[in-house]
Amino acid sequence: MAPKAALYLFLLLLSFTSGGNLLMVNGQKTWCVAKPSSDQAALLANINYACSQIDCRILQKGYPCFYPDNLMNHASISMNLYYQAKGRNRWNCDFRNSALIVTTDPSKSLI
């Protein structure tokens, strides 16, 4: 088997054993954010679930991630905290299909 073919086979097998998360293989950083189309009820449920599992103090007033103070931002941060803490698997960023895995740092796009 040619070296290039062996590499592709290895990556394919790794994809299956890692839940399809090839982003971890090539060193690409990933973040979990709320889908812009998510309704307020879903965002609030996501915050409540994520923060019941991980420490969300950084979202409180006076802490670094409080601003911008809106539901979309707080949901994205709590969902990403959960995603990062649980191993950055795609299933840790589903939130009933109200989340996206992105490769661009969302903190760089906040206004």
Side-chain angles (χ1 to χ4, degrees):
M1 182 180 298
K4 198 171 196 176
L7 176 62
Y8 288 129
L9 180 59
F10 172 74
L11 291 175
L12 182 62
L13 290 172
L14 188 58
S15 173
F16 288 119
T17 61
S18 68
N21 194 351
L22 283 179
L23 296 176
M24 298 296 291
V25 172
N26 67 12
Q28 183 83 37
K29 291 184 179 182
T30 57
W31 293 265
C32 178
V33 298
K35 281 185 181 176
S37 61
S38 299
D39 61 38
Q40 289 189 353
L43 296 175
L44 191 55
N46 294 346
I47 292 170
N48 289 336
Y49 176 74
C51 293
S52 74
Q53 304 292 311
I54 48 105
D55 183 0
C56 289
R57 277 183 277 187
I58 64 169
L59 291 173
Q60 294 175 357
K61 193 170 188 171
Y63 283 81
C65 294
F66 180 74
Y67 293 105
D69 181 18
N70 61 61
L71 201 53
M72 181 65 71
N73 182 61
H74 288 201
S76 290
I77 292 170
S78 62
M79 292 159 67
N80 187 57
L81 287 170
Y82 177 86
Y83 171 69
Q84 300 295 328
K86 298 298 181 178
R88 292 172 30 170
N89 301 296
R90 69 171 188 248
W91 56 85
N92 300 126
C93 185
D94 181 57
F95 294 93
R96 296 187 180 182
N97 202 27
S98 63
L100 299 168
I101 295 175
V102 298
T103 57
T104 303
D105 185 349
S107 69
K108 305 294 184 209
S109 63
L110 295 176
I111 299 173

